[in-house]
Amino acid sequence: QVQLVESGGGLVQTGGSLRLSCATSGSIFSINDMAWYRQAPGKQRELVAAITKGGITNYADSVKGRFTISRDNAKNTVYLQMNSLKPEDTAVYYCNADVVARTYRGRSWGQGTQVTVSS
């Protein structure tokens, strides 16, 4: 069974920074794309940033220049460094990964971590 566990969320003031981590576990052979999504109250889940296994990144326009996604392929872990945070960044942030495991192949989701930015 594959599990993704996010950590690093919390409450921060406008302009502050947070670093999210997503650790994976299970009988994983490889992970292709990894990504961070977020969902604010009353809104649809949206892609924040994505990274390929080779390190090619993609960002939502709203976070470009402020957020940085990275990954450690040896640890099957993905990170999201969030700087210059704004109140509109407040949301539950979810990790997503395209996983090839012993008993599963496909996209998996973490349980989410809350990020709250106060004004």
Side-chain angles (χ1 to χ4, degrees):
Q1 184 177 357
V2 174
Q3 288 189 323
L4 278 64
V5 179
E6 301 97 335
S7 61
L11 173 64
V12 65
Q13 292 186 334
T14 297
S17 298
L18 285 173
R19 187 183 191 227
L20 305 183
S21 299
C22 174
T24 61
S25 64
S27 299
I28 296 173
F29 295 143
S30 66
I31 300 178
N32 298 315
D33 293 355
M34 304 184 82
W36 288 96
Y37 286 74
R38 67 186 180 187
Q39 187 166 18
K43 294 188 177 181
Q44 289 188 333
R45 190 172 297 189
E46 63 174 357
L47 176 67
V48 176
I51 185 167
T52 67
K53 191 172 185 178
I56 297 172
T57 58
N58 181 45
Y59 296 93
D61 288 342
S62 59
V63 306
K64 282 181 181 177
R66 299 188 298 122
F67 291 10
T68 301
I69 189 171
S70 61
R71 64 189 286 174
D72 184 332
N73 289 332
K75 296 180 179 179
N76 286 335
T77 300
V78 64
Y79 307 95
L80 186 68
Q81 178 67 44
M82 305 186 294
N83 298 328
S84 302
L85 282 161
K86 305 174 181 180
E88 50 264 45
D89 295 318
T90 296
V92 177
Y93 284 70
Y94 297 91
C95 174
N96 179 271
D98 182 14
V99 176
V100 179
R102 185 170 62 87
T103 59
Y104 174 79
R105 181 168 187 166
R107 304 208 73 91
S108 294
W109 291 92
Q111 82 291 346
T113 185
Q114 177 69 47
V115 171
T116 302
V117 184
S118 62
S119 57

